[in-house]
Amino acid sequence: MPTTNTHGTFVPRPRLRHRIPTSLRQHWKLLTVFVAFVTIMATVFGTARIRPYITGDASVIASHITENVAGTVDLFDLSVEHELSLDIPAAELSDMLAAYEKSGDKKWVNATATIDGTVVTDVAVRLKGNSTLTGLRGDRGEGPGGGMQPPEGFAPPAGLGLPDGLTMPDGEMPEGIAPPGGMGGPGGMASVSADDPTTLPLLLSFDKYFDGRAYQGLTELSVRPGTPVLNEAMALTLTDATDQPTQRFSYSVYSINGGATTTRLLLEHPDDGYANSLFDSDGYLYKADANSRFAYVDDDQSSYSEQFEQINNVESGNLQPIINFLRWLDAADDTEFAEELDRWVDVESFARYVATQNLLVNSDDMAGPGQNYYLWYDLDTEKISVVSWDLNLAMTGSTDAGPQDTVSMGMGMGGGGPGARGGAPGAGNETGGGPRRGAGVTRGDGGDGGEGTPGAAPQDGQGGGMRGGNTLKTRFLASSAFTAVYEQVYWDLYDEMYAGGRANEILDALADSVPTSDGLSAEALQTDVDRMRAWIAARTAALAAARAA
């Protein structure tokens, strides 16, 4: 549960086990003997390197970190102000942008990072993201910005913004519609520009050019675009506050090559250490690719290698748990699905995941076009859980989604139906002042082929007309066998997040942790806080009304 210190500053829930591998926690006696052995061997053999191996129940996990940069303060301590500056040589920066503009390649380049005063050389940096980066492709895509184009003369419904990469034929937005990706506001979507490298979403790797190195146990760190993206920080904190797996974060004053400063959200990027410390048991963590399809192909693991990336124990190359589950899911009829799902999936955990995404109005979860999720396969229970990822579209857009409603991205094209809507309080862009892209809502009984519709085929572009959907989520919500557990979990989470005022308390604490900069004034920050508070109030009221109905 989030707490505050004596100054009222938000302090993340302690995660003492976070960077302690599961095997260490389970075999501490063996470790003690091992440490004593290493001490004796070091005395006997002097400076000879001894590489430790930690044995676990399922595998041998190598300790890949041989140099851990301690830094000056805990990077994820929100009670202190952080500063991150990058020095990326002009030629390297140009090469990185040219490679993406030409072919979409996210090329790694060399940089020097200064984190809270600690200089780290030979840090690998590359672009990160998909739709956020379309503006960098110039005219090499299907339309300006590399995105798709609507029909000539097309205008979106009132109150709805355009998705990333979708512009009007003349490059102008209709009156009253703010440009997609406006910086700040509860939506947190950000426009990117090659002329201002601080706008670029980046991934930092501490070990790509320096084998075995980490910064405070992290091998990778994500720099999120936009400022101050309170919605993503809120969603991450509420997920953590309800005892669900998530990622750590902090805010930082940020600059590149000595330029003007801005404020950025720094996010923990799942790596081997993250995977091995996320749960108390051993298991495999997999990341779904943005172009993946949650569907059975065949029994050949290579058929899934570009759809799912194994994060830990990669030497095993073991995608078999996913294949086995997808094979069953593909063959199971509705009765078998209802009776046997709990043999494959941690049903209560999954119900909490699905309910949380709805409560947070996240339009790009495991069923969104970005396919933003991780899968955890527990080697003890032999069951799958879902871990949330990339919550930058949470807590924006429509506020009135009920437990069985579909939350979808964008304009409801090709399936939004009459129930799709957007432009809720707090969904504005501080530069344009009007509504912008957010989440639309499709009623679960609308019969429009959305996720909440039994018998839908979400893999064929359902969920708002953009490619998305997820068979597991669709069938879970459609099956009456799981309605009771889902709705119980849903309203319990509502009580934890909204009914008791928890969301507003977290907002107050987060607001105190956001540093101002050249790119974020105190006045602009307060405007975003007020918008986020209005969104929370509207969401709380809508859910209270739905519960009472």
Side-chain angles (χ1 to χ4, degrees):
M1 171 179 176
T3 59
T4 57
N5 60 19
T6 55
H7 302 290
T9 302
F10 172 73
V11 179
R13 179 161 54 95
R15 298 177 67 181
L16 297 180
R17 65 182 175 83
H18 185 84
R19 287 289 164 179
I20 304 174
T22 302
S23 300
L24 280 176
R25 298 194 304 272
Q26 294 180 340
H27 303 287
W28 65 270
K29 292 182 180 179
L30 178 61
L31 175 64
T32 302
V33 174
F34 177 75
V35 170
F37 170 75
V38 169
T39 302
I40 294 172
M41 294 297 287
T43 301
V44 174
F45 293 105
T47 59
R49 170 174 289 190
I50 299 175
R51 182 180 295 272
Y53 284 88
I54 304 164
T55 58
D57 293 338
S59 61
V60 176
I61 304 173
S63 177
H64 298 295
I65 297 177
T66 57
E67 179 177 336
N68 188 33
V69 180
T72 57
V73 294
D74 181 355
L75 181 59
F76 298 115
D77 182 354
L78 298 185
S79 67
V80 299
E81 184 173 304
H82 299 280
E83 184 173 352
L84 168 63
S85 61
L86 297 177
D87 182 5
I88 308 175
E92 296 273 281
L93 183 59
S94 178
D95 286 348
M96 179 178 74
L97 292 170
Y100 187 78
E101 181 182 354
K102 180 179 180 180
S103 62
D105 287 345
K106 297 171 184 175
K107 180 181 179 180
W108 290 99
V109 297
N110 195 300
T112 296
T114 303
I115 308 173
D116 295 327
T118 298
V119 178
V120 187
T121 60
D122 295 318
V123 175
V125 175
R126 70 163 174 83
L127 294 169
K128 185 182 185 305
N130 292 294
S131 61
T132 309
L133 296 172
T134 55
L136 297 178
R137 295 299 303 278
D139 59 1
R140 295 180 182 277
E142 296 175 6
M148 60 183 177
Q149 290 290 291
E152 184 176 356
F154 175 86
L160 282 177
L162 292 172
D164 279 352
L166 183 60
T167 60
M168 300 307 292
D170 58 0
E172 298 294 329
M173 298 292 292
E175 183 178 356
I177 301 295
M183 298 175 69
M189 293 299 294
S191 57
V192 298
S193 169
D195 296 328
D196 181 1
T198 63
T199 66
L200 304 173
L202 298 178
L203 181 64
L204 278 59
S205 171
F206 299 104
D207 67 346
K208 185 172 183 63
Y209 296 149
F210 197 117
D211 189 41
R213 184 178 61 181
Y215 183 85
Q216 296 184 0
L218 300 166
T219 60
E220 293 183 326
L221 180 68
S222 177
V223 180
R224 307 294 281 164
T227 184
V229 289
L230 287 172
N231 66 304
E232 185 167 12
M234 285 290 303
L236 288 163
T237 308
L238 284 168
T239 302
D240 180 69
T242 51
D243 294 318
Q244 298 179 78
T246 185
Q247 298 83 41
R248 296 175 295 171
F249 69 90
S250 67
Y251 282 100
S252 174
V253 175
Y254 177 66
S255 63
I256 292 181
N257 294 341
T261 62
T262 187
T263 302
R264 286 290 180 263
L265 188 72
L266 307 181
L267 181 63
E268 173 178 33
H269 196 265
D271 58 9
D272 185 81
Y274 172 90
N276 289 330
S277 61
L278 193 57
F279 294 94
D280 288 326
S281 55
D282 290 316
Y284 299 133
L285 185 68
Y286 307 94
K287 183 185 187 303
D289 184 82
N291 295 315
S292 63
R293 296 173 63 87
F294 199 76
Y296 176 68
V297 180
D298 54 39
D299 288 334
D300 186 350
Q301 291 201 30
S302 65
S303 300
Y304 304 84
S305 61
E306 295 185 358
Q307 298 193 53
F308 297 96
E309 176 189 359
Q310 188 170 337
I311 302 302
N312 63 328
N313 296 334
V314 293
E315 294 83 0
S316 69
N318 192 358
L319 294 175
Q320 198 60 50
I322 293 180
I323 296 173
N324 293 343
F325 174 64
L326 292 178
R327 186 195 307 114
W328 171 82
L329 186 64
D330 181 67
D333 60 24
D334 289 345
T335 299
E336 291 170 327
F337 181 85
E339 293 178 350
E340 300 175 13
L341 182 64
D342 63 352
R343 301 180 189 176
W344 298 89
V345 173
D346 184 331
V347 169
E348 183 170 354
S349 172
F350 185 63
R352 288 171 64 82
Y353 168 82
V354 175
T356 297
Q357 304 313 301
N358 179 289
L359 287 162
L360 297 178
V361 196
N362 182 17
S363 58
D364 199 13
D365 65 353
M366 72 183 301
Q371 300 290 294
N372 290 313
Y373 67 99
Y374 283 78
L375 292 176
W376 171 259
Y377 178 74
D378 191 298
L379 288 167
D380 290 343
T381 65
E382 298 183 345
K383 294 182 181 181
I384 289 173
S385 301
V386 180
V387 178
S388 64
W389 170 246
D390 198 354
L391 298 174
N392 70 322
L393 290 182
M395 303 188 79
T396 182
S398 179
T399 57
D400 62 351
Q404 295 293 336
D405 293 337
T406 295
V407 177
S408 60
M409 184 185 294
M411 298 152 45
M413 292 161 34
R421 57 178 62 85
N429 175 306
E430 82 272 18
T431 58
R436 57 183 168 80
R437 188 180 85 170
V441 177
T442 303
R443 299 302 171 215
D445 57 356
D448 60 358
E451 280 176 15
T453 306
Q459 297 293 346
D460 296 324
Q462 302 297 338
M466 301 168 70
R467 188 180 186 279
N470 184 282
T471 303
L472 173 60
K473 182 179 176 182
T474 300
R475 296 186 68 177
F476 179 80
L477 288 173
S479 176
S480 60
F482 305 108
T483 301
V485 64
Y486 171 70
E487 293 197 347
Q488 180 65 52
V489 162
Y490 189 96
W491 293 115
D492 286 348
L493 287 169
Y494 161 73
D495 288 337
E496 290 186 65
M497 292 181 179
Y498 297 109
R502 173 81 68 86
N504 277 317
E505 293 173 1
I506 289 174
L507 177 60
D508 290 338
L510 279 176
D512 290 338
S513 76
V514 180
T516 57
S517 60
D518 295 336
L520 180 67
S521 67
E523 293 77 13
L525 173 60
Q526 186 59 53
T527 297
D528 285 319
V529 171
D530 292 343
R531 285 177 175 154
M532 189 75 257
R533 197 179 309 281
W535 191 96
I536 292 170
R539 183 72 176 127
T540 304
L543 289 169
R547 191 180 204 177

